[in-house]
């Protein structure tokens, strides 16, 4: 809402309060003033001039040589390029020495050899936005009414010695979508009175009922419809002061009748519509829901197809307006309009919102209906409009109002105790202070023993309950005066849940292990949604996605991590190690919330470790990724319950992928990207993993239990076993451990050899075996006995023989 | 004989002094103290002396031998030390060459901010509540006093999945969910961090996905002044002692009264700078007293219980704290960005 400071001053005495100060006060008490704009923009020296002569420039086709009377001294010669300049006009002239916006100084000049002593200005040159400049002057200079006094300050006549406050209104303060609403607010802040506009109408002898009747068939959409007839109007420009106010408020002037409806809209927040009575085509107004497929051509010359969701004003046969949104072209006020039917109605919000949504049409009127107007002011606004049309359009107001009225004002009465106000706010206000604030708000109230009974005026539809009153009191009392205390409550320690605490440990582990935490988008494209996922369902799809790229919810974190790796590689960051903990979304059927499961995923590509000058360089490989995960499982106390099995998964390397199994259940995977996918993402050798993180964290791991530190020496024996190539090291190791139980405490693989020194199809796996008895020192014989048993077992199970 | 011994001592000490390495020193040892050395020789010739002279010469010979022995040892130690030093000097390295890097990752800046805020409120007795990102219309809007058709729903264009299911537009649904779990009995003291989604086109200041942290306290006798005190405490811990806060009236459907909360600028101490756009204040939070409708819908008696709620954006806080200029950085995962958040 744009509020002219000078216009506002007509309703509230602003003496002693500058626009800037006012803005600050308004902001502090509840409505944010986004900016204060001085319309002068540093201008000076612009006067109204009279074009005495206007003839073609001798040396330029597009210029005119004008002789202009500036009301002082001799008339001066000014060269003007505007196409509409003409003899006899009153125009705005920036004199020599004047300043225009942007600190543009006017100097005496020669244009194509002709002297020019100033500049005849367009409104744009005076800082007015093109979109509000009256259409006839949009391409040229502005022409004042012929009675404008020559030599007078043009800026004053154009209302430019003014400041405009731009209010950012929250949805609850629709009451301030009008000058009067703002006036009440400002009056409450300043503790001053509101002066209401004059609405007395002089009526003629005729009766409005002879002209028109009104019937509302959809009263729930339109509880109140009122109208008046004004005859013998003369369409022409509205008074300059009115045009100036409209422009300052961001509305383009059209003609006196339309301008008056817009002026009332700004003044009262009540949208009006003026029909050309003679073009209505009937003597009745019927308000009803549109029929499906019914058509209307609106004022913007667009033909619109209507549905039963839309409300229309009809002449009994066909729509003449899309109610509350835009009038119809068929009944538009035109230059030859003689009789005007003014509509002042209260349309309810839902039906207007639907029309705005369906037709993409938002207007000053529809915005107000959507946010809710004050029906108690509807007829007052109509009276004021009729009075102004009589005054400024030469009209004759026909006696009486036509109306269809089912609206019943339901008085809102709120009671609130002083104790409650102070209890909620933590203040120590007195009865008198609260009473003072309520009076300033111009709320009528009674007070009994500290309890206030308040009759809320209909303009403040946002106030219905005790808390609303408390808020009004608080904001006008001033939040700066609110003390700062802390809640008085039993002291209970705050803490993370075990899950949250574990998750943090896991984060720190991954970061300590050298991975950076990524956060990627949850929304993705359908082709990425289920890719790599541990578990898939039909993707959860947005009803109205903004793009296909962000249209469904992900079921794996891997695709976006790959995008991140690719993004980095494209920017010369080739070594990437990222992890992410985040949710995936698995559908549980339509119209129910999907299952959200927390996953842990990672991507590793490029060099894992580089310390080049000492010759160290380790590229990421499967075992790097696996090692990171092994550490995680150790951290969670799950190492002994985890196993890796070779696996084939889509988009992964078929020989370098493992599924990860916890207690016999698959909980994730780790593997190399399939070369084709690497190429797709423009990545080199890349490893990814994803784990069912929530399941993992919710599995109780081994807890810490101290074991005594060995007191006796252990015996270490190394063996190299030759086995077939396809024997898995993991299985062999497990067989050794089982055969050596309980004296064999540790089995560690330390070498893998394949090559010339072994027969084809064979490999050698070397293990270090540590035997130990916590009770005593083992003898060589005892160790040998167990060791032999181990060798026998692996020979039997795997055909493993000791390497010679 | 006496002279001979003194002469031998002088001679030996001189040769020890001159010995340049351990071998030469050993030669001196063998030459003077060996079984065939001159001192032994002297002692052997002692038989020719008168018996009263013998003990004196014997004692003298021992003194000389000990003096030589001592000098030998001292020289040996010195030579050995010199040898070690030479060896170490030969092993010298360039200490300015780079060390072997320890591989370190670090948390995402948003996680840093969120965990910091979590810890701060945990210290004040709050617990951390988490909930679904895909919400029902009821919890996202209706339970928060935003019935269907409410004008404020315009304020946050949402990603709907069906008419009743949507991506949550704020973390506030957790307020309603947590209160319901308490079955009308306080105290409730939670903060709820999480991802939220709005139909915004991604640009430098908008992101269709972002994070929020919401706080809620419900109990008997919770006052708006408690909100002010709590948030002042929060601002001081997060942005430094000496910070102040101010409330500006505002509107949220789920709180009444509602305020926006500014923190005095931590960059310029309130004098006005580019961070606070010259105002001395930075808008950080939205807050207010829990709307009675919200309390009632979640099963609390709004006559006996009151509460406050507040919400903030970790992106905004991280941008302010670290001077980040584009919200998209948080979701691009550019390592050149992420790596900057290592320090504690």
């Amino acid at each position: 809402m744009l509020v002219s400071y000078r216009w506002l001053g007509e309703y509230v005495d602003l003496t002693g309060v500058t626009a800037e100060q006012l803005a600050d006060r308004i902001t502090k008490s509840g409505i944010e003033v986004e900016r204060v704009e001085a319309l002068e923009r540093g201008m000076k020296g612009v006067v109204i001039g009279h074009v005495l002569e206007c003839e073609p420039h001798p040396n330029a086709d597009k210029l005119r040589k004008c002789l202009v009377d500036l009301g002082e001294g001799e008339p001066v010669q000014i060269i003007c390029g505007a196409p509409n300049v003409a003899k006899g006009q009153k125009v705005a002239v920036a004199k020599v020495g004047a300043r225009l916006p942007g600190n543009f100084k006017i100097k005496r000049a020669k244009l194509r050899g002709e002297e020019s002593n100033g500049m005849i200005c367009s409104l744009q040159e005076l800082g007015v936005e093109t979109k509000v400049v009256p259409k006839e002057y949009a391409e040229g200079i502005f022409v004042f009414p012929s009675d404008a006094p020559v030599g007078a300050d043009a800026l004053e006549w154009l209302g430019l010695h003014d400041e405009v406050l731009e209010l950012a209104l929250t949805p609850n303060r629709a009451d301030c979508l009008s000058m009067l609403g703002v006036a009440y607010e400002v009056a409450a802040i300043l503790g001053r009175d509101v002066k209401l506009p004059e609405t007395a109408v002089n009526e003629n002898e005729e009766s409005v009922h002879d002209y028109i009747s009104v019937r509302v068939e959809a009263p729930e959409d339109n509880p109140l419809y009122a109208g008046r007839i004004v005859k013998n109007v003369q369409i022409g420009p509205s008074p300059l002061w009115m045009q100036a106010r409209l422009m300052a408020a961001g509305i383009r002037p059209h003609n006196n009748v339309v301008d008056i409806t817009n002026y009332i809209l700004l003044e009262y927040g009540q949208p009006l519509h003026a029909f050309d009575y003679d073009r209505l085509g009937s003597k009745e107004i019927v308000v009803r829901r549109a029929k499906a497929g019914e058509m209307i051509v609106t004022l913007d010359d667009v033909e619109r197809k209507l549905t039963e969701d839309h409300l229309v004003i009809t002449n009994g046969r066909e729509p003449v307006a899309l109610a509350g949104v835009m009038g119809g072209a068929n009944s538009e006020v035109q230059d030859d309009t003689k009789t005007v039917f003014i509509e002042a109605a209260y349309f309810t919000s839902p039906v207007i919102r639907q029309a705005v949504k369906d037709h993409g049409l938002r207007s000053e009127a529809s915005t107000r209906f959507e946010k809710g107007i004050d029906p108690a002011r509807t007829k007052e606004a109509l009276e004021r409009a009729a009075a102004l049309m009589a005054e400024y359009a030469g009209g004759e107001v026909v006696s009486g109002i036509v109306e269809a009225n089912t609206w019943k004002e339901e008085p809102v009465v709120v009671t609130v105790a002083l104790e409650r106000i102070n209890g909620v706010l933590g203040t120590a206000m007195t009865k008198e202070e609260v009473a003072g604030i309520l009076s300033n708000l111009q709320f009528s109230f009674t007070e009994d023993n500290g309890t206030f009974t308040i009759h809320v005026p209909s303009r403040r539809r946002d106030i219905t309950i005790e808390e609303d009153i408390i808020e009004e009191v608080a904001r006008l009392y001033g939040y700066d005066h609110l003390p700062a205390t802390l809640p008085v409550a039993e002291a209970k320690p705050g803490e993370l849940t075990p899950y949250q605490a574990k998750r943090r440990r896991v984060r720190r582990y991954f970061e300590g292990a050298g991975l950076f935490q990524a956060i990627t988008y949850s929304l993705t494209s359908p082709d990425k949604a289920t890719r790599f996922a541990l578990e898939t369902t039909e993707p959860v799809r947005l009803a109205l996605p903004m793009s296909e790229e962000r249209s469904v919810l992900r079921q794996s974190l891997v695709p976006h991590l790959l995008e991140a790796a690719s993004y980095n590689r494209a920017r010369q960051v080739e070594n990437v190690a990222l992890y992410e903990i985040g949710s995936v979304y698995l559908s549980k059927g339509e119209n129910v919330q999907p299952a959200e499961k927390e996953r842990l995923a990672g991507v590793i590509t490029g060099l894992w470790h580089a310390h080049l000058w000492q010759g160290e360089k380790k590229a990421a490989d499967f075992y790097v990724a696996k090692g990171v995960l092994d550490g995680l499982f150790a951290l969670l106390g799950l190492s002994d319950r985890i196993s890796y099995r070779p696996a084939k998964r889509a988009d992964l390397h078929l020989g370098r992928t493992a599924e990860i199994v916890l207690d016999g259940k698959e909980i994730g995977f780790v593997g190399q990207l399939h070369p084709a996918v690497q190429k797709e993402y423009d990545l080199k050798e890349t490893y990814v993993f994803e784990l069912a993180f929530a399941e993992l964290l919710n599995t109780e791991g081994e807890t810490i239990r101290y074991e005594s530190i060995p007191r006796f020496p252990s015996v270490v024996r190394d063996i190299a076993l030759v086995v077939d190539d396809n024997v898995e090291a993991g299985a062999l190791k497990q067989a050794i451990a089982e055969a050596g139980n309980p004296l064999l405490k540790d089995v560690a693989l330390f070498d893998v050899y394949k090559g010339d020194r072994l027969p084809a199809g064979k490999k050698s796996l070397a293990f270090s075996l540590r035997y130990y008895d916590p009770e005593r020192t083992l003898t060589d014989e005892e160790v040998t006995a167990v060791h032999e048993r181990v060798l026998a077992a692996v020979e039997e199970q795997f055909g493993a023989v000791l390497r010679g | 004989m006496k002279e001979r011994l003194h002469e031998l001592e002088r001679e030996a000490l001189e040769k020890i002094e001159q010995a340049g390495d351990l071998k030469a020193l050993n030669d001196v040892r063998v030459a003077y103290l060996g079984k065939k050395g001159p001192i032994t020789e002297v002692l052997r010739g002692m038989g020719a002396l008168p018996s009263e002279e013998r003990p004196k010469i014997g004692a003298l010979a021992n003194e000389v031998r000990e003096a030589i022995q001592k000098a030998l040892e001292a020289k040996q130690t010195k030579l050995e030390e010199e040898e070690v030093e030479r060896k170490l000097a030969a092993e010298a390295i360039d200490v300015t060459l780079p060390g072997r890097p320890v591989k370190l990752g670090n948390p995402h800046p948003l996680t840093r901010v969120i965990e910091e805020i979590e810890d701060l409120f945990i210290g004040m007795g709050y617990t951390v509540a988490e909930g679904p990102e895909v919400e029902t219309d009821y919890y996202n809007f209706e339970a928060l006093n935003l019935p269907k058709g409410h004008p404020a729903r315009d304020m946050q264009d949402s990603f709907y999945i069906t008419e009743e299911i949507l991506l949550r537009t704020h973390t506030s649904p957790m307020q309603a969910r947590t209160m319901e779990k308490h079955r009308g009995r306080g105290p409730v003291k939670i903060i709820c961090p999480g991802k939220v989604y709005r139909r915004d086109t991604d640009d430098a200041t908008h992101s269709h996905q972002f994070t929020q942290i919401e706080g809620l306290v419900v109990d008997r006798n919770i006052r708006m002044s408690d909100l002010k005190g709590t948030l002042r405490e929060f601002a001081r811990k997060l942005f430094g002692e000496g910070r102040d806060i101010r409330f500006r009236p505002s509107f949220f459907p789920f709180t009444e009264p509602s305020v926006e909360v500014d923190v005095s600028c931590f960059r310029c101490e309130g004098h006005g700078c580019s961070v606070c756009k010259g105002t001395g204040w930075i808008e950080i939070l939205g807050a207010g007293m829990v709307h009675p409708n919200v309390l009632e819908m979640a099963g609390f008696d709004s006559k006996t219980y009151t509460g406050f709620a507040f919400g903030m954006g970790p992106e905004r806080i991280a941008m302010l704290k670290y001077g980040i200029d584009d919200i998209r950085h948080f979701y691009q995962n550019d390592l050149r960005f992420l790596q900057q958040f290592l320090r504690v």
Side-chain angles (χ1 to χ4, degrees):
Chain A
M1 176 79 185
L2 298 170
V3 176
S4 150
Y5 173 79
R6 282 179 64 179
W7 186 3
L8 183 66
E10 287 196 1
Y11 311 112
V12 190
D13 178 12
L14 297 177
T15 312
V17 189
T18 66
E20 286 288 347
Q21 288 165 342
L22 182 64
D24 191 49
R25 299 281 299 268
I26 294 175
T27 296
K28 277 213 172 113
S29 48
I31 294 169
E32 191 190 347
V33 179
E34 283 192 327
R35 61 197 179 111
V36 179
E37 195 178 8
L39 299 182
E40 278 176 6
R41 295 168 204 271
M43 287 187 285
K44 62 172 194 189
V46 186
V47 298
I48 297 174
H50 189 195
V51 183
L52 302 175
E53 300 291 343
C54 181
E55 43 190 66
H57 188 293
N59 308 319
D61 289 347
K62 292 192 171 162
L63 297 179
R64 303 289 188 93
K65 189 171 81 174
C66 306
L67 189 65
V68 185
D69 176 8
L70 299 181
E72 52 175 29
E74 289 295 307
V76 296
Q77 175 172 304
I78 297 176
I79 305 300
C80 180
N84 63 333
V85 67
K87 180 176 169 176
Q89 285 172 339
K90 299 280 177 70
V91 295
V93 177
K95 299 191 290 187
V96 171
R99 273 179 205 280
L100 292 184
N103 203 16
F104 173 43
K105 207 175 161 190
I106 302 299
K107 296 178 189 143
R108 182 166 287 118
K110 260 196 177 164
L111 291 172
R112 294 277 179 112
E114 288 289 336
E115 194 170 287
S116 185
N117 299 293
M119 174 173 148
I120 303 179
C121 300
S122 68
L123 286 178
Q124 288 94 324
E125 282 158 342
L126 298 177
V128 179
E129 276 188 85
T130 302
K131 65 171 186 173
V132 300
V133 171
K135 269 199 179 123
E136 52 182 319
Y137 305 125
E139 303 294 329
I141 54 162
F142 178 75
V143 181
F144 285 82
S146 54
D147 60 352
V150 175
D153 179 356
L155 301 181
E156 175 63 29
W157 277 73
L158 288 167
L160 295 176
H161 292 307
D162 194 4
E163 282 153 283
V164 172
L165 283 67
E166 185 170 354
L167 308 189
L169 294 174
T170 49
N172 59 323
R173 293 308 302 273
D175 61 300
C176 286
L177 280 169
S178 65
M179 292 302 291
L180 280 172
V182 175
Y184 277 108
E185 175 73 10
V186 168
I189 295 167
L190 301 178
R192 295 180 185 175
D193 290 329
V194 174
K195 186 171 160 275
L196 295 175
E198 186 58 57
T199 56
V201 183
N202 285 319
E203 299 176 318
N204 71 7
E205 303 290 301
E206 293 173 285
S207 166
V208 71
H209 302 292
D210 296 333
Y211 281 80
I212 198 143
S213 68
V214 171
R215 192 169 84 241
V216 174
E217 291 178 356
E220 65 286 357
D221 299 329
N222 181 200
L224 171 59
Y225 191 102
R228 263 193 181 277
I229 296 284
V230 182
K231 60 186 275 193
N232 296 333
V233 296
Q234 279 184 325
I235 303 297
S238 60
L240 196 49
W241 61 263
M242 187 181 283
Q243 293 188 43
R245 286 178 178 183
L246 291 177
M247 287 191 284
I251 293 179
R252 164 181 278 171
H254 289 276
N255 58 46
N256 45 10
V257 167
V258 171
D259 288 358
I260 286 166
T261 62
N262 283 329
Y263 186 78
I264 299 300
L265 170 132
L266 291 172
E267 191 172 44
Y268 282 84
Q270 168 67 56
L272 301 176
H273 185 64
F275 295 94
D276 183 325
Y277 173 77
D278 298 315
R279 287 190 170 91
L280 271 179
S282 83
K283 288 183 139 197
E284 68 170 345
I285 290 286
V286 178
V287 184
R288 59 163 168 82
R289 287 290 183 113
K291 295 169 192 149
E294 206 167 5
M295 306 296 285
I296 183 172
V297 177
T298 41
L299 285 177
D300 52 3
D301 286 328
V302 176
E303 185 170 36
R304 298 174 190 277
K305 193 171 179 179
L306 305 172
T307 73
E308 284 160 1
D309 290 336
H310 307 135
L311 189 71
V312 286
I313 313 301
T314 71
N315 58 9
R317 298 186 305 275
E318 52 173 12
V320 291
L322 182 55
V325 180
M326 195 178 267
N330 51 8
S331 54
E332 184 180 4
V333 170
Q334 297 181 16
D335 289 347
D336 61 353
T337 296
K338 288 278 169 265
T339 304
V340 170
F341 172 63
I342 314 170
E343 162 197 289
Y346 166 40
F347 301 115
T348 55
S349 171
V351 72
I352 302 300
R353 175 165 306 142
Q354 191 65 44
V356 166
K357 201 177 141 197
D358 292 349
H359 296 287
L361 254 185
R362 182 161 270 132
S363 60
E364 293 279 348
S366 68
T367 300
R368 284 167 176 80
F369 284 125
E370 273 186 83
K371 301 201 186 235
I373 62 157
D374 175 11
R377 280 209 301 236
T378 301
K379 283 198 265 178
E380 206 178 306
L382 177 62
E383 296 300 82
R384 170 95 165 134
L388 289 179
M389 281 189 202
E391 189 170 355
Y392 297 108
E396 197 180 303
V397 182
V398 173
S399 175
I401 289 178
V402 280
E403 68 178 297
N405 190 354
T406 53
W407 180 68
K408 256 191 80 181
E409 183 166 4
E410 281 168 26
V412 178
V413 179
V414 180
T415 58
V416 59
L418 177 67
E419 200 188 350
R420 174 77 174 171
I421 295 175
N422 283 324
V424 169
L425 298 176
T427 48
M429 272 184 258
T430 61
K431 269 194 307 204
E432 291 69 28
E433 282 175 296
V434 173
I437 289 169
L438 294 174
S439 306
N440 285 346
L441 283 164
Q442 311 210 14
F443 292 178
S444 61
F445 64 94
T446 56
E447 187 266 326
D448 181 29
N449 211 7
T451 295
F452 293 88
T453 302
I454 299 136
H455 296 263
V456 181
S458 62
R459 66 191 148 82
R460 290 299 304 272
R461 292 158 61 105
D462 57 314
I463 295 176
T464 54
I465 55 172
E466 179 177 82
E467 282 70 16
D468 297 322
I469 294 290
I470 295 175
E471 179 168 57
E472 290 298 297
V473 171
R475 69 185 184 89
L476 291 167
Y477 176 68
Y479 285 113
D480 290 348
H481 299 126
L482 202 66
T485 57
L486 287 173
V488 184
E490 51 177 314
K492 254 179 70 184
E495 60 184 358
L496 293 174
T497 63
Y499 183 94
Q500 290 164 343
K502 258 182 174 179
R503 185 173 51 197
R504 279 209 196 175
R505 290 278 328 263
V506 170
R507 289 192 186 289
R508 297 302 94 80
Y509 163 73
F510 271 91
E511 290 142 17
L515 286 84
F516 289 86
Q517 188 204 347
I519 299 179
T520 62
Y521 293 133
S522 307
L523 285 168
T524 190
S525 60
D527 60 312
K528 288 187 205 121
T530 55
R531 215 174 180 188
F532 299 98
L534 287 170
E535 206 185 331
T536 62
T537 63
E538 184 64 25
V540 178
R541 191 177 168 81
L542 298 181
L544 283 170
M546 295 175 75
S547 70
E548 203 53 17
E549 194 60 18
R550 305 265 173 260
S551 59
V552 296
L553 286 164
R554 65 182 177 189
Q555 298 187 0
S556 164
L557 313 185
V558 172
H560 285 169
L561 284 176
L562 289 176
E563 274 176 20
S566 184
Y567 179 95
N568 277 289
R569 197 175 125 73
R571 285 154 187 79
Q572 296 169 302
V573 183
E574 315 236 334
N575 307 326
V576 177
L578 294 170
Y579 84 93
E580 179 170 17
I581 294 174
S583 288
V584 300
Y585 312 83
L586 301 167
S587 173
K588 293 201 292 191
E590 223 171 279
N591 249 328
V592 287
Q593 287 167 273
E596 290 180 35
K597 297 193 174 179
E598 207 154 55
R599 299 278 197 247
L600 164 67
V603 57
I604 302 174
T605 184
L607 290 179
W608 173 250
H609 172 70
H611 182 49
L612 299 178
W613 75 267
Q614 286 192 301
E616 290 177 36
K617 189 163 139 179
K618 173 79 193 119
D621 66 13
F622 179 85
Y623 300 104
V624 162
K626 182 178 174 182
V628 169
L629 296 182
D630 284 340
L632 170 70
F633 300 134
L635 185 78
L636 297 175
L638 297 172
S639 297
D640 293 343
R641 289 152 68 183
I642 289 283
S643 56
Y644 295 81
R645 294 185 197 143
K648 291 188 171 54
R649 293 182 70 92
D651 296 322
L652 293 176
H653 190 303
L654 60 85
R656 294 183 181 175
T657 298
E659 61 181 26
I660 302 169
V661 177
L662 171 67
D663 297 338
K665 208 176 141 240
E666 189 193 340
I667 50 116
F669 66 83
V670 52
Q672 188 189 335
L673 273 192
H674 192 285
V677 182
Q678 281 171 185
K679 207 171 155 196
E680 176 190 332
Y681 280 96
D682 200 13
L683 287 167
K684 295 200 169 148
E685 200 169 306
T686 299
Y687 293 85
V688 293
F689 57 83
E690 182 156 285
L691 299 173
F693 188 58
E695 277 103 309
L696 203 59
L697 282 205
N698 287 327
T699 304
E700 196 69 43
E702 204 178 313
T703 51
I704 295 174
R705 217 190 127 88
Y706 166 73
E707 275 175 41
S708 59
I709 289 162
R711 283 186 294 148
F712 302 97
S714 54
V715 176
V716 175
R717 301 247 170 119
D718 289 352
I719 51 171
L721 298 173
V722 176
V723 291
D724 288 345
D725 229 359
N726 60 3
V727 170
E728 286 171 12
L732 191 57
K733 180 180 162 180
Q734 201 184 344
I736 294 171
E738 279 166 13
N741 196 38
L743 289 185
L744 179 57
K745 291 292 187 242
D746 275 327
V747 184
L749 182 137
F750 67 88
D751 188 46
V752 179
Y753 176 77
K754 273 195 270 191
D756 300 345
R757 283 179 282 152
L758 286 178
K762 294 283 185 183
K763 65 182 173 188
S764 158
L765 299 172
F767 294 91
S768 188
L769 284 62
R770 193 173 62 82
Y771 297 94
Y772 172 69
D773 187 324
E775 303 298 328
R776 62 209 171 80
T777 304
L778 288 171
T779 65
D780 214 31
E781 290 73 36
E782 283 170 316
V783 172
T784 303
V786 183
H787 199 64
E788 293 298 332
R789 209 164 70 214
V790 168
L791 294 178
V794 294
E795 184 172 5
E796 190 194 317
Q797 291 175 43
F798 298 97
V801 294
L802 274 177
R803 190 171 167 197
Chain B
M1 261 180 139
K2 218 166 142 187
E3 288 75 33
R4 173 70 180 140
L5 280 170
H6 282 301
E7 193 186 326
L8 278 173
E9 185 181 359
R10 266 195 319 275
E11 231 178 79
L13 292 181
E14 198 172 314
K15 283 194 176 153
I16 288 168
E17 183 59 39
Q18 284 164 358
D21 55 33
L22 288 169
K23 191 176 169 298
L25 193 66
N26 205 40
D27 290 347
V28 177
R29 182 200 314 276
V30 173
Y32 285 87
L33 301 182
K35 280 183 183 147
K36 290 170 187 165
I39 296 178
T40 316
E41 201 96 320
V42 170
L43 287 173
R44 266 193 209 128
M46 242 180 10
L49 289 175
S51 60
E52 67 273 15
E53 286 283 316
R54 272 184 221 159
K56 286 185 193 162
I57 294 298
L60 179 64
N62 275 336
E63 269 174 40
V64 168
R65 187 194 285 272
E66 266 171 41
I68 294 170
Q69 187 70 45
K70 231 172 133 188
L72 276 169
E73 276 167 22
K75 183 70 178 186
Q76 168 126 13
T77 307
K78 192 171 166 235
L79 286 175
E80 276 171 2
E81 277 173 6
E82 280 172 7
E83 172 119 356
V84 169
E85 276 167 26
R86 258 198 314 280
K87 201 174 159 215
L88 294 187
E91 288 171 8
I93 57 166
D94 180 354
V95 297
T96 65
L97 281 168
R100 187 176 190 276
V102 170
K103 198 163 171 61
L104 275 180
N106 56 250
H108 191 282
L110 289 177
T111 303
R112 287 186 66 117
V113 168
I114 290 170
E115 288 185 358
E116 189 179 351
I117 294 169
E118 282 176 355
D119 291 343
L120 215 143
F121 281 101
I122 286 171
M124 291 196 261
Y126 291 63
T127 54
V128 179
E130 295 171 280
E133 293 169 26
V134 185
E135 260 298 357
T136 60
D137 186 86
Y138 177 78
Y139 283 110
N140 195 74
F141 289 126
E142 286 178 51
L144 297 168
N145 202 27
L146 279 146
K148 290 209 162 79
H150 190 287
R153 282 199 183 198
D154 279 0
M155 284 160 69
Q156 34 199 0
D157 271 356
S158 332
F159 285 121
Y160 273 92
I161 288 159
T162 65
E163 247 172 55
E164 294 302 326
I165 311 279
L166 75 161
L167 304 191
R168 66 178 176 191
T169 56
H170 44 197
T171 44
S172 316
M174 276 313 289
Q175 284 190 21
R177 285 182 176 274
T178 309
M179 278 193 279
E180 277 186 6
K181 275 198 197 137
H182 275 75
R183 298 182 175 278
R185 287 182 51 190
V188 178
K189 234 176 153 182
I190 51 161
I191 59 158
C192 323
K195 290 173 184 155
V196 300
Y197 306 85
R198 293 196 192 162
R199 272 184 74 92
D200 271 327
T201 303
D202 296 340
D203 62 24
T205 53
H206 296 85
S207 181
H208 75 276
Q209 174 181 326
F210 57 102
T211 58
Q212 245 189 13
I213 299 184
E214 187 105 355
L216 172 73
V217 174
V218 176
D219 203 350
R220 294 167 201 271
N221 304 322
I222 294 293
R223 303 155 298 177
M224 200 169 186
S225 56
D226 297 333
L227 171 66
K228 197 171 179 183
T230 299
L231 293 180
R232 192 171 70 183
E233 200 70 16
F234 157 78
R236 289 183 176 170
K237 285 192 175 137
L238 194 68
F239 294 107
E241 285 304 319
R243 293 282 78 75
D244 207 352
I245 59 163
R246 75 171 180 190
F247 282 3
R248 278 182 295 113
S250 187
F251 169 75
F252 307 108
F254 27 90
T255 48
E256 178 101 32
S258 303
V259 288
E260 283 185 80
V261 185
D262 299 338
V263 177
S264 61
C265 183
F266 50 84
R267 171 78 67 79
C268 64
E269 306 273 329
H271 298 299
C273 69
S274 62
V275 172
C276 57
K277 298 191 184 96
T279 63
W281 295 93
I282 302 171
E283 189 185 322
I284 290 280
L285 298 116
M289 299 303 286
V290 181
H291 197 288
N293 293 356
V294 175
L295 286 171
E296 294 284 347
M297 275 187 279
F300 276 82
D301 178 0
S302 67
K303 292 289 165 234
T304 45
Y305 280 99
T306 48
F308 64 71
F310 54 86
M312 63 192 117
E315 276 86 351
R316 176 159 169 76
I317 290 171
M319 289 170 96
L320 289 166
K321 259 190 108 147
Y322 305 123
I324 299 164
D325 56 359
D326 191 325
I327 198 170
R328 287 169 294 198
H329 285 312
F330 293 113
Y331 297 97
Q332 270 158 349
N333 300 297
D334 189 322
L335 277 162
R336 296 165 301 176
F337 173 77
L338 294 176
Q339 278 165 346
Q340 295 181 33
F341 302 94
L342 176 68
R343 289 184 286 278
V344 287

